[in-house]
Amino acid sequence: MKERLIELVEKKYLKADVTKEMFKAGDTIAVYYKVIEGNKERIQVFEGIVIRVSGTGIAKNFTVRKVSSGIGVERIIPLNSPSIEKIEVKKVGKVRRSRLYYLRNLSGKAARIKEIRNK
């Protein structure tokens, strides 16, 4: 009963266009994030590898990692955030883990992930 009530309350905040299995850990994605600076609004693209997907329902979030100027940058993004304009899957990676924290210690070619190519 309690779970059903929570589900009903969360339903209006869930994004309709986000599918359940849109991306997973190991995929390279581009997140189009809406940034508001004063009275101006622009779209900023954050492209990187998904190293973690966690949570359920409205609390679902994912962590994206990229290396910018030799420095690793990670961003934890709530999946149902109104600031997300769209999420685009660039490459589908083939990994055997759901948490790719080991990528933090790797650099260069060692940090590559095998790609699944669609035919």
Side-chain angles (χ1 to χ4, degrees):
M1 179 69 183
K2 184 178 168 184
E3 291 83 19
R4 181 82 177 126
L5 184 62
I6 292 171
E7 202 174 288
L8 288 170
V9 172
E10 288 180 349
K11 193 172 187 175
K12 70 176 181 177
Y13 296 106
L14 291 172
K15 284 191 169 182
D17 59 339
V18 177
T19 59
K20 287 189 182 234
E21 288 299 320
M22 198 165 113
F23 57 87
K24 61 186 182 347
D27 293 353
T28 302
I29 64 170
V31 181
Y32 293 81
Y33 211 76
K34 194 184 312 176
V35 178
I36 300 169
E37 297 169 334
N39 58 358
K40 290 184 179 179
E41 188 177 294
R42 64 184 174 87
I43 302 294
Q44 185 177 22
V45 182
F46 191 85
E47 186 171 340
I49 299 171
V50 178
I51 63 168
R52 174 182 74 115
V53 179
S54 67
T56 58
I58 199 151
K60 190 166 191 169
N61 58 39
F62 57 96
T63 304
V64 181
R65 177 180 175 81
K66 74 173 183 177
V67 178
S68 180
S69 302
I71 299 170
V73 180
E74 290 183 11
R75 190 166 186 177
I76 300 170
I77 304 169
L79 187 64
N80 294 295
S81 172
S83 300
I84 294 178
E85 199 66 29
K86 70 176 179 175
I87 299 171
E88 203 173 89
V89 178
K90 298 286 186 176
K91 296 180 190 173
V92 178
K94 181 183 178 189
V95 292
R96 298 174 74 176
R97 310 225 178 299
S98 62
R99 307 276 194 263
L100 305 180
Y101 298 137
Y102 64 87
L103 289 176
R104 294 172 177 164
N105 301 326
L106 301 176
S107 62
K109 284 189 175 182
R112 286 184 299 183
I113 291 178
K114 288 185 180 177
E115 182 183 346
I116 298 174
R117 299 195 179 211
N118 295 336
K119 293 181 179 180

